[in-house]
Amino acid sequence: EAIVSTLKDMPYFQDLDTLDVSASVCVMGFACGLMYATDSGLLFLDVVDFYVNFVMLLIGMLECIAVGWFFNFEGQINFLGKLPVTVYMTTNFLSIFVASICWFGIADLNVALSSGFALLVSIYAAGLVFAIRTCPLASKQSERRRISTISTNESRAKNTNELPGDDEPEKQSAAQYQTQQWTDYQIAKELMLRNILELKAELEPSVNVFPLWVAVLIKHFIPHALWILFVNLAVARGPNDQILLGNYGGYPAWPFQVSADMKNMWIGCFESRES
């Protein structure tokens, strides 16, 4: 029923009869399940069960990226600028990719850990600083400071003959607020949290409580952790010191490894469409 409902929501299948779609899904499921009814069924199940871990890790990572990074993406660009948003997102994931190469590609454990963490922090920090410096809000600080100074001087000139206690302090405080409106810390906070705070505000009326720490984990921790687990599984080695990916259990590439990969690719495509 879940598969049929998902297919019926797609534009390609909306005009088809529900009975025809259900029959097609049943026939396809029956055909895919035939290999498990053979004498080698448990072997196929073992291989598919191993490779489905890759699919679930990858789908989970992509779903967190879609929710944590691409939610109201246009709004982020309109407010912060296309270049800083793109640079911050790119360097955020580039740092963990490069660090993973060091962690899983260098034989010496101490060198791998130290170089990986050093590159992780340096790439992330460089991307964050570049995004802040190229943000239009940062370039407006000097302009706002100049405008606020001019407006303050003009207000003082106009009110030289007015009694103390008029609206001059209010104008000065407003000008001071404009001067201090966008610091580097505030721009960094907007880059890190703006869209997930909007996500939190949009979901809370429906789910009642959506903690901020959950939103932060979805954007800044879970995708990176799932990527590390994905790479760790991809480079894992078996008892014969061969990489398990493509050689799991010593089963022949055909039909075990290939059929398992094909089935899991189909599962991955369906799960991504359903999400």
Side-chain angles (χ1 to χ4, degrees):
E1 184 177 354
I3 297 176
V4 173
S5 299
T6 303
L7 292 176
K8 288 291 290 181
D9 290 338
M10 298 179 184
Y12 310 104
F13 300 97
Q14 288 180 352
D15 296 333
L16 298 178
D17 187 69
T18 304
L19 181 61
D20 295 337
V21 177
S22 300
S24 302
V25 171
C26 291
V27 171
M28 184 178 297
F30 175 77
C32 292
L34 282 177
M35 65 180 184
Y36 298 111
T38 64
D39 293 338
S40 302
L42 290 177
L43 302 181
F44 280 111
L45 179 62
D46 185 28
V47 179
V48 171
D49 184 62
F50 171 74
Y51 284 107
V52 78
N53 294 315
F54 290 95
V55 178
M56 294 298 102
L57 289 172
L58 188 60
I59 290 176
M61 182 183 70
L62 294 178
E63 287 181 346
C64 288
I65 292 174
V67 173
W69 289 89
F70 287 99
F71 176 78
N72 195 22
F73 191 67
E74 293 183 359
Q76 296 181 75
I77 291 177
N78 292 334
F79 187 78
L80 298 168
K82 183 176 181 179
L83 180 60
V85 172
T86 305
V87 168
Y88 178 65
M89 182 173 62
T90 302
T91 53
N92 191 289
F93 289 101
L94 179 63
S95 61
I96 196 67
F97 293 159
V98 174
S100 299
I101 295 175
C102 296
W103 291 333
F104 297 102
I106 299 177
D108 191 302
L109 180 60
N110 293 328
V111 175
L113 290 175
S114 59
S115 59
F117 280 111
L119 288 172
L120 174 68
V121 174
S122 59
I123 294 175
Y124 178 84
L128 179 60
V129 171
F130 183 83
I132 292 174
R133 291 294 89 201
T134 57
C135 182
L137 299 178
S139 62
K140 290 178 182 179
Q141 288 185 39
S142 58
E143 180 67 19
R144 286 177 176 173
R145 184 177 295 109
R146 184 181 66 82
I147 293 174
S148 62
T149 302
I150 294 174
S151 62
T152 302
N153 293 334
E154 289 178 351
S155 64
R156 287 176 178 175
K158 291 179 180 180
N159 298 324
T160 51
N161 297 324
E162 294 183 2
L163 296 175
D166 291 331
D167 60 345
E168 182 181 355
E170 296 180 359
K171 294 181 180 180
Q172 291 179 1
S173 61
Q176 185 178 5
Y177 175 78
Q178 287 183 339
T179 304
Q180 299 177 352
Q181 189 168 5
W182 295 111
T183 63
D184 291 347
Y185 168 77
Q186 290 170 323
I187 297 174
K189 185 178 178 181
E190 293 291 328
L191 285 168
M192 295 178 185
L193 303 176
R194 179 176 179 81
N195 69 315
I196 56 175
L197 289 176
E198 294 173 346
L199 175 66
K200 179 178 182 296
E202 183 169 326
L203 291 179
E204 279 188 336
S206 302
V207 300
N208 193 16
V209 177
F210 189 73
L212 178 60
W213 63 268
V214 174
V216 173
L217 288 179
I218 290 174
K219 182 172 185 177
H220 294 289
F221 179 77
I222 296 178
H224 309 74
L226 292 178
W227 170 255
I228 293 173
L229 293 175
F230 182 87
V231 176
N232 179 65
L233 186 62
V235 301
R237 296 181 178 271
N240 55 358
D241 202 33
Q242 283 187 326
I243 295 179
L244 293 178
L245 183 61
N247 302 288
Y248 176 72
Y251 300 121
W254 177 261
F256 296 98
Q257 311 283 347
V258 175
S259 61
D261 291 339
M262 292 177 62
K263 175 167 281 191
N264 284 300
M265 282 191 293
W266 180 82
I267 294 173
C269 293
F270 173 75
E271 286 290 340
S272 61
R273 291 289 301 182
E274 187 176 10
S275 303

